[in-house]
Amino acid sequence: MAPNNALANKKPKVAESGQTKSDTTVLKAGTVEGRGMGTNVNSKEVISTQIQEFLRGEGRFGPKAEFRAFFTVWTFVTRLPGPTWVDHHPGYLMRGMAYFPFNGTLIGFFVSVFFDLANVTMGLPVMIASIVSEGASLWLTGCFHEDGLADSADGIGGGWSRDQILKIMTDTRLGTYGCAVLLLYVIAKLELIAILGESVWALGACSGGGPALITTHTLARLTAPLLIKTRDYVDEQGPKYMFYSFFVEAKHLVTWNRVCFATVTSFLVASLAYGTVKAAILSFGIFIVSLFSGRYAEYLLGGVMGDYLGATICIAEVFILTTLSLLSHMDYDTEFLHGFAGFVTMCLSGNSTPQAVINEVLNDERNVAFLKFATVMIFTIIWCSFVGHPPVFVRKTVTAKGETTEIQVSLVTDGEEGNNHSDEAISSLQCALLDDEQSFSSLYDSARAYLDTLAKPVGSLGTLEDWAARLAVLQRSSKPTANKIVCLIFAGDHGVAKDKDHGGANCSAYPQSVTQKVLEGLESKMAGASVLAANNNVKIRVVDVGLAADVKGAEVVIVSKHKINGGTNNFCNEPAMSKTEVEKCILSGREETKRFVEENKADVLVFGEVGIGNTTTSSALIASLTGEAIESLCDNGATLHRTGGDDSIISNKIKIVKEALKYHGAKKMIDKPLLALENVGGAEIAAIVGGIIEASENNIAVLVDGFIVTTAAMIACLISPAACRVLLLATKSTERGQCVAIKAIQDIAKQHGIPSLSEPALNMSLRMGEATGGLVAVPILRSATAIISELATLEAVLNLKCEQSMNC
């Protein structure tokens, strides 16, 4: 944002009562960071309660709100002050995108005044006048968009993977690519303004540099609302990410009505300057620039972000100036276009020989130049499509061979120093882990490279090595710990599990009332999870987010303030939850996770669930999100038999899920996790989704229990792909649907360059739920930390000296 010192220097007033009264609504520290769903929720579907309340309250359409939105944009992109009641509120900023082009008009008018002063009044050459006007523009906007252009150039030019590109773009330092592109941009802009010449002001028939500056600044800024509305906003992790992360949700405030208003404003300004025909050409060009810029951003970054929007505006400025320059030579261009059209007609008629066609092309230098350009571009596109590395979004940022070798070379070979080998190797790894410039994938590879140097065959400890490496990277420590593990269980009832007489579908072998009894057992510390948690020194908490009845708790069980009273609805004939209820459950998961982790300073989380009927719900969620055949997902769930086999239960589940997906429209929910949760989800599953996202944002490893928790993990990864980093698959469920959910998680990890997850550590036919599988895996996780922290390197073992007192 532009350095608006006038806003920053506002002072509070003192009221008559003697109390301090602020004349501005500048947000207090931490206000923006605490809003909504938080960071890493990169989904168009998320519209939080915070935003809904904003729209119903202070942000509701009206003169005051619209003026505030306009001036919020003004103080954001310029150095000039706004009224004292304006601040950099992200909600108003996004609403103000409707006025972004008009702000550009005002900036362009300001800049054109300097151009005409230098050229007309002072009689300076047009090139000098263009330099003066550009200096005025850079001062007024604080190089706001130019900074985005430089950062984007550095990231796109120097980044290898998506993570690296984003990391470089959010770095405040200027690199070689940024310098080069900025020079090209400034030189091109100055030359194009100079080519347009002296300003001629005539309504609908303007020409020259002054009118071009107004039109350029206006139309170029139309790209911002277009991109924000049509593309996801990437969660930024740079110095200003606490502000920009709110845009992930706040962009929903940029409605199509506001985009249309911005478009009409831009067209009117261009029409007043150049007439409707040229205005239409320029506007169409801006839509094309926005389309290609958006598609490139989606491919490269997964969406748009602040720096990329600034870069697009700069490129759009050059595009508009170039187009105006071409339109000013319309006679020459028309002659060429007529000639080209005649050439095409001659080729299509079939009356010309190949030699005549070649002669026609070669006789005009413009045709030859165009043909060479087309040939080079087509060859380049074909070459890049079939040769070289895969697309950026599927690349992995691997550790360079030299980096891996460095760890190995650092080992001491002198026998007298053999005891120091492990310490030196660990120091090498620790240095790598403290490097904030490296991505998770790169650090993970460094940790795996260190594990390969230990006294064991490479990779021989399988999943233990994967878990150890992930913990090391998440905790940024070569000696990660798993001493403070906590278990958080969410409970909820499902309408589909009710008896048919009470409006349900009777999907389970057990009555819905069993959910409450399980919670009473957990409160009494008599349940399976209670025993396993105590045996492994794990603290446990149970949160009621949607039980049909009230449960009495005191020490272990608590009731969420966001609880869905009465449980979810029967999703066979209505949505399981409302959109607001889904958001509240996710928020509950986040809040309870944060609170429990902070209370115990936990380093690892185990999530569990309680809810009769939730295997049916999980099957419905996986089917709706992946399109997988329902028959390959449904299994027994909780049964009355030791072996778990009951074909009638499975058949009933398949029937229920098919009925539900038919009612809601299965194809409508594919890859739309929030809509799927709303239609066929469960309160406890949504809460676990929120808990996993919260854990991911705080780099806390999560031991994933069986089928239901794996389903929640899949949904969390669909909402926030970064969640793949923290998942440790504890146990293989007897439910077939888990394999489909795991594959979906693996695919998401691969797509985003995140190391693939190991298969579940345990295969013991566990199907109890309540986090029991995750709790059984706790000793395995602690063994993984011991391996990376205490096992000596192979070189150190080989250099051990035999004591003289021993017979070697």
Side-chain angles (χ1 to χ4, degrees):
M1 65 189 76
N4 198 313
N5 296 324
L7 179 63
N9 293 333
K10 290 178 181 177
K11 304 294 185 182
K13 295 180 179 179
V14 179
E16 295 180 0
S17 62
Q19 295 180 338
T20 300
K21 179 181 179 182
S22 177
D23 63 349
T24 177
T25 53
V26 175
L27 305 179
K28 295 180 180 180
T31 301
V32 173
E33 300 93 299
R35 285 182 169 141
M37 305 287 290
T39 58
N40 288 329
V41 185
N42 194 7
S43 171
K44 289 185 177 182
E45 298 178 73
V46 178
I47 305 179
S48 69
T49 304
Q50 173 79 26
I51 289 180
Q52 294 179 33
E53 291 175 352
F54 172 76
L55 289 173
R56 290 193 295 263
E58 59 176 336
R60 187 176 181 179
F61 181 79
K64 182 177 180 180
E66 296 308 310
F67 272 110
R68 184 173 174 184
F70 170 81
F71 282 111
T72 298
V73 172
W74 180 251
T75 57
F76 189 74
V77 299
T78 73
R79 302 171 64 95
L80 301 182
T84 57
W85 38 265
V86 174
D87 58 38
H88 287 164
H89 189 298
Y92 284 109
L93 179 61
M94 301 311 281
R95 299 283 277 178
M97 284 293 118
Y99 311 111
F100 209 47
F102 184 62
N103 272 270
T105 303
L106 298 178
I107 293 170
F109 179 77
F110 181 91
V111 172
S112 69
V113 168
F114 281 84
F115 178 85
D116 286 348
L117 175 70
N119 182 231
V120 179
T121 306
M122 302 177 67
L124 297 174
V126 178
M127 175 56 77
I128 301 300
S130 66
I131 293 174
V132 171
S133 66
E134 183 63 12
S137 174
L138 296 178
W139 176 85
L140 180 62
T141 62
C143 299
F144 185 50
H145 303 311
E146 289 76 11
D147 176 70
L149 176 65
D151 288 338
S152 298
D154 280 331
I156 295 170
W160 169 255
S161 68
R162 178 176 290 178
D163 285 344
Q164 281 188 338
I165 292 172
L166 289 171
K167 187 73 174 179
I168 296 171
M169 286 178 69
T170 52
D171 193 327
T172 56
R173 293 169 292 184
L174 182 62
T176 304
Y177 284 101
C179 289
V181 171
L182 272 179
L183 282 173
L184 287 174
Y185 162 74
V186 173
I187 292 171
K189 193 172 178 182
L190 294 178
E191 285 287 348
L192 288 167
I193 296 172
I195 288 172
L196 290 168
E198 183 178 333
S199 301
V200 175
W201 301 92
L203 189 64
C206 295
S207 63
L213 286 167
I214 295 177
T215 306
T216 297
H217 280 281
T218 301
L219 282 170
R221 283 165 177 79
L222 177 58
T223 58
L226 286 170
L227 288 173
I228 291 173
K229 181 59 183 174
T230 58
R231 305 291 169 178
D232 278 335
Y233 200 96
V234 178
D235 187 25
E236 302 189 28
Q237 294 298 325
K240 299 187 285 287
Y241 88 96
M242 288 297 192
F243 183 87
Y244 285 110
S245 65
F246 187 59
F247 286 7
V248 175
E249 295 176 73
K251 65 178 187 159
H252 296 288
L253 304 172
V254 185
T255 63
W256 279 115
N257 288 338
R258 291 181 176 273
V259 174
C260 289
F261 181 86
T263 303
V264 171
T265 302
S266 303
F267 182 78
L268 286 176
V269 171
S271 297
L272 291 173
Y274 295 105
T276 56
V277 175
K278 289 185 178 180
I281 294 172
L282 293 170
S283 299
F284 179 75
I286 285 299
F287 277 103
I288 296 300
V289 169
S290 300
L291 174 64
F292 279 97
S293 177
R295 293 185 64 179
Y296 189 60
E298 201 73 43
Y299 157 79
L300 201 67
L301 307 173
V304 297
M305 58 187 293
D307 284 335
Y308 190 86
L309 293 174
T312 302
I313 290 172
C314 290
I315 293 170
E317 287 180 354
V318 174
F319 169 80
I320 295 166
L321 290 171
T322 303
T323 304
L324 287 172
S325 178
L326 292 172
L327 291 174
S328 68
H329 299 83
M330 182 63 78
D331 293 338
Y332 175 84
D333 296 330
T334 303
E335 178 187 345
F336 170 70
L337 292 174
H338 281 304
F340 183 74
F343 168 71
V344 173
T345 303
M346 181 183 71
C347 295
L348 296 177
S349 66
N351 297 326
S352 56
T353 63
Q355 185 62 44
V357 173
I358 294 173
N359 291 336
E360 182 68 24
V361 172
L362 298 179
N363 285 338
D364 193 327
E365 292 182 353
R366 293 172 298 181
N367 289 339
V368 175
F370 179 78
L371 184 62
K372 288 192 292 186
F373 170 78
T375 303
V376 170
M377 292 307 297
I378 291 172
F379 176 81
T380 303
I381 292 171
I382 294 174
W383 180 268
C384 293
S385 298
F386 295 98
V387 180
H389 296 285
V392 171
F393 66 88
V394 297
R395 293 181 193 162
K396 286 187 177 181
T397 308
V398 298
T399 305
K401 183 177 179 181
E403 293 175 323
T404 303
T405 305
E406 182 180 350
I407 295 176
Q408 296 172 343
V409 169
S410 68
L411 298 173
V412 184
T413 55
D414 185 351
E416 291 183 359
E417 301 178 6
N419 292 334
N420 296 326
H421 288 200
S422 296
D423 291 340
E424 293 190 10
I426 287 179
S427 296
S428 244
L429 172 60
Q430 188 61 49
C431 288
L433 292 172
L434 294 177
D435 184 357
D436 291 333
E437 298 298 319
Q438 293 194 50
S439 67
F440 179 88
S441 298
S442 179
L443 295 174
Y444 175 86
D445 288 337
S446 295
R448 290 304 297 258
Y450 167 73
L451 285 162
D452 289 344
T453 69
L454 301 183
K456 60 178 181 56
V458 174
S460 59
L461 290 177
T463 299
L464 286 177
E465 296 188 34
D466 172 52
W467 287 11
R470 286 179 189 272
L471 277 179
V473 178
L474 291 172
Q475 297 180 14
R476 291 300 180 105
S477 171
S478 57
K479 294 186 176 183
T481 62
N483 298 324
K484 296 180 180 179
I485 300 178
V486 294
C487 176
L488 194 55
I489 298 174
F490 291 97
D493 276 319
H494 299 253
V496 74
K498 291 181 180 179
D499 293 336
K500 292 182 179 180
D501 295 339
H502 294 87
N506 200 27
C507 68
S508 176
Y510 288 90
Q512 191 182 66
S513 57
V514 171
T515 306
Q516 182 179 357
K517 292 301 179 182
V518 173
L519 260 65
E520 291 173 1
L522 288 165
E523 175 63 33
S524 302
K525 301 180 182 179
M526 298 166 56
S530 307
V531 173
L532 291 171
N535 193 57
N536 287 288
N537 194 27
V538 173
K539 288 191 176 182
I540 188 171
R541 175 171 292 170
V542 183
V543 184
D544 172 11
V545 290
L547 255 66
D550 293 330
V551 61
K552 294 182 180 180
E555 184 178 353
V556 178
V557 179
I558 63 172
V559 179
S560 170
K561 64 181 180 181
H562 304 296
K563 175 182 176 177
I564 299 177
N565 293 316
T568 60
N569 303 316
N570 179 4
F571 57 57
C572 290
N573 47 42
E574 61 180 316
M577 294 179 280
S578 68
K579 184 179 294 185
T580 300
E581 286 174 334
V582 171
E583 290 179 0
K584 286 183 176 181
C585 288
I586 292 176
L587 182 60
S588 176
R590 291 177 68 98
E591 290 178 349
E592 297 302 337
T593 298
K594 182 178 181 181
R595 183 180 299 111
F596 201 35
V597 167
E598 289 178 350
E599 286 176 3
N600 297 281
K601 295 182 171 34
D603 42 33
V604 177
L605 271 161
V606 183
F607 282 110
E609 41 62 41
V610 177
I612 295 299
N614 58 16
T615 56
T616 303
T617 298
S618 295
S619 298
L621 284 167
I622 295 172
S624 64
L625 290 169
T626 66
E628 191 74 21
I630 298 169
E631 290 79 3
S632 64
L633 299 173
C634 293
D635 232 307
N636 289 281
T639 69
L640 302 172
H641 307 286
R642 185 182 304 164
T643 58
D646 193 329
D647 292 339
S648 63
I649 290 179
I650 297 175
S651 299
N652 187 41
K653 281 188 178 181
I654 292 173
K655 179 183 176 182
I656 290 170
V657 174
K658 282 185 175 181
E659 183 181 342
L661 297 192
K662 182 179 180 181
Y663 176 81
H664 295 288
K667 293 183 179 180
K668 296 179 181 178
M669 295 182 282
I670 291 180
D671 292 331
K672 295 181 179 178
L674 296 174
L675 180 60
L677 282 171
E678 181 182 340
N679 287 338
V680 296
E684 80 279 27
I685 296 174
I688 295 172
V689 169
I692 291 174
I693 293 174
E694 181 70 25
S696 172
E697 292 177 14
N698 291 280
N699 293 323
I700 297 175
V702 174
L703 272 171
V704 179
D705 195 35
F707 181 43
I708 291 89
V709 179
T710 305
T711 303
M714 179 192 75
I715 296 172
C717 292
L718 283 169
I719 295 174
S720 174
C724 296
R725 303 170 303 124
V726 303
L727 303 180
L728 310 174
L729 302 179
T731 177
K732 182 177 181 180
S733 173
T734 57
E735 298 287 321
R736 291 173 292 176
Q738 188 196 32
C739 296
V740 178
I742 290 174
K743 183 181 183 301
I745 294 171
Q746 300 283 30
D747 290 343
I748 295 169
K750 182 179 180 182
Q751 183 182 359
H752 291 83
I754 298 171
S756 180
L757 279 67
S758 295
E759 291 297 314
L762 301 171
N763 186 3
M764 303 170 64
S765 299
L766 301 178
R767 53 188 177 88
M768 181 177 176
E770 298 180 31
T772 51
L775 291 168
V776 171
V778 164
I780 299 176
L781 180 59
R782 287 175 174 154
S783 297
T785 63
I787 292 298
I788 194 170
S789 301
E790 301 173 23
L791 187 58
T793 63
L794 179 61
E795 195 73 17
V797 172
L798 294 176
N799 283 282
L800 285 174
K801 283 190 174 182
C802 296
E803 298 293 336
Q804 293 181 356
S805 59
M806 298 176 63
N807 183 13
C808 297

